[in-house]
Amino acid sequence: MINKISIIIGTALAIAFLIGLATTLTRSMMIGFKDVLPVYILMGIVIAMMVYEAFIEKK
């Protein structure tokens, strides 16, 4: 039970950090959406892999 809670908290904090990091890039006037699009794609892949590793893949 405590292991599941720690996995949920850790995953949520990591996702919040990655989303905050990606959205910080769009705040700059010199960086356009086309420049940040690869970052959003990579962050989506990383978040999906993290959720898969934490919850779906069970041995």
Side-chain angles (χ1 to χ4, degrees):
M1 178 66 178
I2 192 75
N3 191 19
K4 189 83 159 175
I5 293 172
S6 64
I7 289 173
I8 291 171
I9 292 172
T11 305
L13 287 174
I15 289 172
F17 173 74
L18 291 174
I19 290 173
L21 188 67
T23 55
T24 302
L25 291 173
T26 60
R27 300 283 186 241
S28 175
M29 297 277 193
M30 300 172 72
I31 300 175
F33 181 74
K34 290 181 185 176
D35 299 326
V36 183
L37 189 60
V39 175
Y40 283 136
I41 293 170
L42 286 175
M43 291 299 172
I45 292 170
V46 167
I47 290 171
M49 288 173 60
M50 202 168 31
V51 169
Y52 177 77
E53 177 82 21
F55 297 109
I56 297 172
E57 185 184 55
K58 297 293 180 190
K59 292 182 180 179

